[in-house]
């Protein structure tokens, strides 16, 4: 049996994502990093030199003045990843695209194009859009409710995968001697007509060396977990403790198994910020410094409303009990996150000020210490089945360099992480099979993907 190997992903958020409003003040970070292809190429090449499996580009399509700097001004994922595809040779390229505000044919074609440009390294982080304000940018009066969003997503994936299988693998003959370019019997229309979509097909692009893009999913609601267990090759998530990580890991893999899938072919990768110092005490001081300087209370108060549909909490008395009625504003937004915040505030009897401070301070990262300490803790989580891999937030440049130059070599020496790439495709890195290209009904797709 092949030894299980840790996976590593990079999450670059340029001048600062949620909770890191002042990261751009670090003189090592270009003030235009989030729209600078040179900056992205540099950091992604650092990750590739360290043999990372993938780079993951987060995205959303609605902003307010309270959005973090990276969200205010950033490149569109697939445009960016296409540029990175020709500046790298091995690292996987994952982009976030919403099923709520894109048509399946267009997304299938754009992702298949990236997959061919990168020679089989493309992946899609499937989201249904948590920012309810996105509706106003797409000619809708209001956002889809949870059940509708996830029902659309299930059908959307059936359509997209069907389109990716329009051509049989040997359909394009390209025989100059006979003058035959296409075997028409091996090009298939989709003829899909469902609750949300009507798509004829076929898609006008062939499959890549990995068959088709790798599917990732990141929803934590019940509907999100069900979607991930049903359709995803990889899961992006969060975990504040080893026990929380284990619980999510077991739940997600259990759901996949109950659907007839091989749970080992669903890769769970929570995201973390890692702090590396000369000693454990030094690393804790580095973490304390950046957590104190990257996010003021005023910035946290403005950002606090995002989970609640960008409801403005500045209208309330900070020292009065937490305004539980604000949860009503989250019904079509990040409801799961907003409910967790509200339930915690109620259970602890927190004021609004205390709730914001709790969110602002959060919990310390579980991966803080010397390089040896961080490597040992990563191994502990990996062996305890709390994760299959980690998404490392690039954060401050000096810290990402310390992770790649000090922590990764320890993991390699212990045999937990690869010393070199053994594959050229993203599916190869993650140990995933190439999906069959047989013509099949959507209900049979999970069995085929697991073959």
């Amino acid at each position: 049996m092949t030894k299980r190997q840790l996976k590593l992903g990079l999450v670059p958020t340029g001048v600062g994502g949620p909770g890191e409003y002042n990261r751009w003040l670090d003189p090592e970070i270009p003030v235009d990093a989030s729209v600078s292809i040179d900056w992205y190429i540099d950091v992604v090449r650092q990750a590739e030199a360290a043999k990372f499996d993938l780079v993951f580009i987060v995205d959303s399509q609605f902003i307010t003045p309270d959005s973090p700097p990276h969200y205010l001004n950033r490149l569109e994922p697939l445009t960016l990843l296409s540029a990175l595809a020709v500046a790298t040779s091995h690292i996987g390229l994952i982009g976030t695209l919403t099923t709520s505000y894109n048509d399946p044919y267009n997304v299938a074609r754009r992702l298949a194009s990236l997959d061919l440009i990168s020679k089989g390294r493309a992946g899609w982080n499937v989201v249904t859009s948590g920012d309810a304000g996105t509706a106003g940018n797409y000619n809708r009066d209001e956002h889809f409710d949870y059940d509708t969003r996830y029902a659309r997503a299930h059908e959307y994936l059936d359509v997209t995968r069907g389109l990716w299988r329009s051509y049989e693998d040997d359909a394009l003959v390209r025989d100059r001697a006979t003058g035959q370019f296409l075997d028409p019997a091996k090009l298939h229309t989709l003829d899909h007509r469902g609750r949300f979509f009507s798509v004829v097909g076929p898609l006008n692009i062939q499959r890549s060396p990995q068959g088709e893009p790798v599917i990732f999913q990141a929803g934590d609601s019940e509907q999100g977990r069900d979607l991930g267990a049903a359709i995803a090759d990889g899961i992006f998530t969060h975990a504040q403790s080893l026990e929380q990580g284990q619980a999510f890991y077991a739940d997600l893999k259990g759901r996949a198994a109950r659907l007839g899938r091989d749970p080992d072919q669903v890769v769970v990768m929570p995201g973390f910020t890692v702090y590396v110092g000369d000693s454990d005490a030094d690393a804790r001081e580095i973490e304390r410094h950046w957590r104190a300087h990257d996010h003021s209370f005023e910035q946290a108060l403005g950002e606090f409303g995002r989970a609640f549909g960008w409801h403005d909490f500045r209208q309330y008395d900070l020292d009065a009990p937490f305004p539980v009625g604000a949860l009503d504003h989250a019904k079509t937004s990040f409801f799961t996150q907003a409910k967790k915040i509200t339930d915690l505030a109620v259970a602890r009897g927190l004021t609004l000020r205390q709730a914001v401070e709790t969110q602002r301070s959060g919990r310390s990262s579980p991966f803080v210490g010397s390089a040896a300490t961080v490597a040992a803790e990563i191994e502990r989580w990996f062996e305890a089945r709390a994760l299959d891999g980690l998404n490392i937030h690039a954060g401050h440049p000096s810290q990402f360099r310390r992770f790649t130059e000090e922590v990764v070599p320890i993991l390699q020496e212990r045999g937990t992480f690869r010393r070199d790439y053994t594959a050229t495709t993203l599916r190869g890195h993650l140990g995933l099979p190439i999906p069959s290209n047989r013509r099949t009904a959507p209900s049979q797709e999970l069995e085929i993907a697991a073959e």
Side-chain angles (χ1 to χ4, degrees):
M1 178 180 289
T2 303
K3 181 181 178 181
R4 182 168 166 259
Q5 289 247 298
L6 181 76
K7 313 302 178 187
L8 288 177
L10 164 69
V11 185
T13 50
V15 292
E20 297 173 317
Y21 280 62
N22 299 323
R23 187 206 291 165
W24 65 276
L25 296 175
D26 184 336
E28 279 202 87
I29 298 175
V31 293
D32 66 344
S34 296
V35 291
S36 169
I37 188 59
D38 294 331
W39 179 81
Y40 280 104
I41 289 173
D42 178 63
V43 72
V44 173
R45 281 177 171 170
Q46 289 180 49
E48 187 169 70
K51 313 307 176 188
F52 273 49
D53 294 84
L54 58 91
V55 53
F56 167 35
I57 304 299
V58 298
D59 193 44
S60 62
Q61 297 178 73
F62 176 74
I63 60 171
T64 78
D66 292 313
S67 297
H70 178 67
Y71 285 31
L72 292 173
N73 186 30
R74 59 178 164 179
L75 297 174
E76 188 278 323
L78 293 195
T79 308
L80 168 60
L81 291 170
S82 293
L84 293 174
V86 296
T88 58
S89 60
H90 282 77
I91 195 167
L93 306 163
I94 318 303
T96 297
L97 291 166
T98 175
T99 58
S100 295
Y101 299 104
N102 284 294
D103 282 332
Y105 190 94
N106 191 30
V107 164
R109 189 183 187 204
R110 289 160 63 199
L111 281 162
S113 296
L114 175 62
D115 212 19
L116 282 179
I117 290 168
S118 65
K119 298 180 175 63
R121 294 186 282 137
W124 173 19
N125 178 42
V126 177
V127 299
T128 64
S129 289
D131 275 320
T134 308
N137 292 331
Y138 286 88
N139 200 37
R140 287 188 57 86
D141 293 331
E142 61 182 27
H143 194 26
F144 300 107
D145 61 46
Y146 256 65
D147 289 340
T148 301
R149 279 157 55 189
Y150 282 101
R152 279 176 56 92
H154 277 279
E155 185 178 335
Y156 201 112
L157 265 293
D158 279 344
V159 172
T160 305
R161 282 177 160 160
L163 287 170
W164 284 335
R165 298 167 191 180
S166 295
Y167 282 106
E168 294 183 34
D169 290 342
D170 57 351
L172 295 170
V173 181
R174 299 182 177 117
D175 188 335
R176 284 177 169 155
T178 64
Q180 183 182 19
F181 188 82
L182 167 71
D183 180 347
K186 296 183 178 180
L187 174 60
H188 305 277
T189 58
L190 183 63
D191 298 319
H192 174 89
R193 188 173 295 275
R195 175 183 171 191
F196 300 102
F197 304 106
S198 178
V199 182
V200 176
L203 189 66
N204 58 341
I205 191 166
Q206 69 180 68
R207 301 217 306 172
S208 82
Q210 68 170 354
E212 56 200 49
V214 179
I215 301 298
F216 292 84
Q217 198 272 338
D220 192 38
S221 65
E222 284 298 305
Q223 296 97 324
R225 293 187 186 204
D226 283 343
L227 177 65
I231 59 90
D233 303 302
I235 303 293
F236 294 143
T237 183
H238 299 280
Q240 293 184 320
S241 68
L242 183 145
E243 293 75 21
Q244 187 182 90
Q246 287 176 313
F248 178 87
Y249 187 100
D251 177 65
L252 202 291
K253 301 253 183 175
R255 293 180 194 227
R258 287 192 291 276
L259 289 171
R261 302 187 63 195
D262 180 350
D264 289 337
Q265 292 177 9
V266 182
V267 180
V268 176
M269 296 182 65
F272 298 98
T273 299
V274 177
Y275 296 95
V276 184
D278 296 336
S279 65
D280 292 356
D282 179 47
R284 285 191 291 271
E285 178 56 28
I286 292 170
E287 180 188 35
R288 187 207 61 77
H289 170 81
W290 287 124
R291 287 169 69 90
H293 286 81
D294 279 351
H295 203 198
S296 71
F297 178 84
E298 290 72 23
Q299 290 165 333
L301 179 62
E303 182 186 31
F304 192 78
R306 187 185 183 215
F308 296 81
W310 284 110
H311 183 60
D312 190 355
F313 281 85
R314 284 170 292 216
Q315 64 187 284
Y316 301 108
D317 180 351
L318 286 171
D319 297 308
F322 184 82
V324 295
L327 187 60
D328 291 339
H329 297 276
K331 288 181 178 177
T332 58
S333 191
F334 295 99
F335 183 78
T336 302
Q337 180 184 355
K339 189 173 188 306
K340 286 180 180 179
I341 293 169
T342 303
D343 289 348
L344 179 66
V346 170
R348 295 186 181 178
L350 302 180
T351 64
L352 174 58
R353 184 189 304 276
Q354 290 169 329
V356 173
E357 281 288 9
T358 299
Q359 287 297 116
R360 178 183 172 227
S361 59
R363 292 189 184 184
S364 175
S365 168
F367 304 111
V368 180
S370 67
T373 295
V374 170
E377 189 64 5
I378 289 172
E379 283 192 317
R380 189 169 79 93
W381 281 55
F382 180 62
E383 292 169 1
R385 301 277 176 166
L387 50 77
D388 294 312
L390 298 85
N391 274 321
I392 305 296
H393 292 269
H396 291 276
S398 60
Q399 280 297 299
F400 185 62
R401 283 196 303 273
R402 293 199 73 162
F403 181 81
T404 59
E405 295 173 5
E406 299 177 34
V407 178
V408 170
I410 295 174
L411 294 170
Q412 291 171 328
E413 289 170 8
R414 296 177 179 177
T416 303
F417 185 64
R418 69 168 70 86
R419 289 184 179 274
D420 203 353
Y421 291 110
T422 57
T424 58
T425 69
L426 178 55
R427 288 188 184 276
H429 299 337
L430 299 178
L432 299 172
I434 296 174
S436 169
N437 198 19
R438 289 206 305 259
R439 303 299 297 170
T440 183
S443 62
Q444 295 174 291
E445 188 155 338
L446 292 178
E447 178 184 350
I448 287 174
E451 287 181 352

